[in-house]
Amino acid sequence: MSLWSRISEALSALANGETLSEVFDRLRTPPERTVAFAIAVVALGAKMAKADGQVTRDEVTAFREVFRIPQKDEAGAARVFNLARQDVGGFEDYARRIQKMFADDPTTLCDLMEGLFHIAMADGFYHPGENEFLHEVSRIFGQSEAQFLALRARFVPDAPRDPYTVLGVSPTASLDEIRKHWRQLVRDTHPDSMMARGVPEEAIRLAEKKMIDINRAWDEINGCASKRVGAA
């Protein structure tokens, strides 16, 4: 059964009056959490679309980049998107339910934020409303300010960007501490680790950009440190 067929099956309870928010509560454990992750990205993405007042063709394309949606499942995917936009529940309620679902796995919440930033930047413009939306979702997810700024630095071209911000570390940290943090990010971003967390296979492609970004940031920091040692 395809991912979107499983999603459609999971949403069948909606016909009995359940809200999309309530559906999340029944998808807490693997393998259902893979379905929950997909619904979460689409549902929060749909809520985020309200932040800038419109759903563009670019944003729809971005969903297709995060999830390969077969033609036969397009109707199911569109149903999730439209239900999320129409559901009376606010995005804060969605975010809290998702945080509770993945409370034991904060790295998956980071993966979800990656998808949301990708969708936000699909039209090439980072709307102030999207920034407020993403900042609040990040806070509800329990992420630090440094984690949010690291994501924004990686995705938003005109955001303040330096390698320390991209890695989410302090410029005053020792090189050994930064190296340790970078290695953990690399491990968390490895496809095997992401699949073990129940991230849909389709969404793992986003990790390729993250791996490039964090490796470039580490190379910049390590290169500068090597130059300082050489100069000394």
Side-chain angles (χ1 to χ4, degrees):
M1 183 181 294
S2 73
L3 174 66
W4 287 101
S5 295
R6 289 166 63 197
I7 287 174
S8 296
E9 185 177 87
L11 296 178
S12 61
L14 289 167
N16 296 323
E18 287 189 63
T19 67
L20 194 56
S21 296
E22 290 172 323
V23 171
F24 284 135
D25 288 341
R26 297 188 290 101
L27 300 171
R28 294 182 179 278
T29 57
E32 288 78 12
R33 288 213 303 185
T34 300
V35 176
F37 182 95
I39 293 176
V41 173
V42 176
L44 280 176
K47 293 291 187 183
M48 184 171 61
K50 290 186 175 182
D52 63 5
Q54 59 183 341
V55 180
T56 68
R57 181 175 297 178
D58 291 326
E59 287 170 330
V60 174
T61 300
F63 280 114
R64 291 179 178 275
E65 291 175 355
V66 178
F67 301 105
R68 289 178 183 150
I69 306 175
Q71 187 173 3
K72 63 183 177 63
D73 293 321
E74 286 182 351
R79 182 175 181 231
V80 176
F81 188 89
N82 289 326
L83 282 168
R85 292 180 64 201
Q86 298 166 10
D87 189 36
V88 294
F91 78 87
E92 297 92 344
D93 182 47
Y94 275 67
R96 290 188 189 99
R97 288 173 183 269
I98 294 163
Q99 188 280 328
K100 186 176 180 181
M101 187 186 309
F102 294 104
D104 61 339
D105 189 5
T107 308
T108 291
L109 294 173
C110 291
D111 296 332
L112 206 161
M113 288 296 299
E114 294 263 342
L116 292 177
F117 262 96
H118 179 76
I119 293 164
M121 291 305 302
D123 59 0
F125 177 67
Y126 191 56
H127 191 278
E130 291 173 327
N131 182 70
E132 292 178 12
F133 175 96
L134 290 167
H135 198 191
E136 181 61 13
V137 171
S138 177
R139 187 194 67 77
I140 293 172
F141 281 0
Q143 294 184 322
S144 67
E145 185 71 6
Q147 287 176 300
F148 173 75
L149 292 177
L151 280 165
R152 194 173 68 178
R154 288 179 43 231
F155 280 92
V156 182
D158 57 353
R161 184 193 184 282
D162 66 77
Y164 297 96
T165 302
V166 170
L167 288 183
V169 297
S170 169
T172 61
S174 70
L175 190 62
D176 285 342
E177 290 174 327
I178 297 173
R179 181 187 290 108
K180 181 179 180 180
H181 183 76
W182 163 68
R183 285 176 173 169
Q184 184 62 53
L185 288 175
V186 169
R187 285 193 291 269
D188 291 341
T189 309
H190 192 279
D192 290 345
S193 297
M194 297 184 71
M195 290 176 68
R197 294 197 299 272
V199 177
E201 190 172 341
E202 293 87 345
I204 293 175
R205 284 173 295 165
L206 291 178
E208 296 176 5
K209 171 178 167 52
K210 181 176 182 179
M211 189 71 80
I212 291 171
D213 290 341
I214 62 178
N215 283 337
R216 181 185 294 123
W218 164 249
D219 288 342
E220 289 179 25
I221 294 171
N222 191 40
C224 289
S226 299
K227 288 179 181 179
R228 285 197 298 269
V229 172

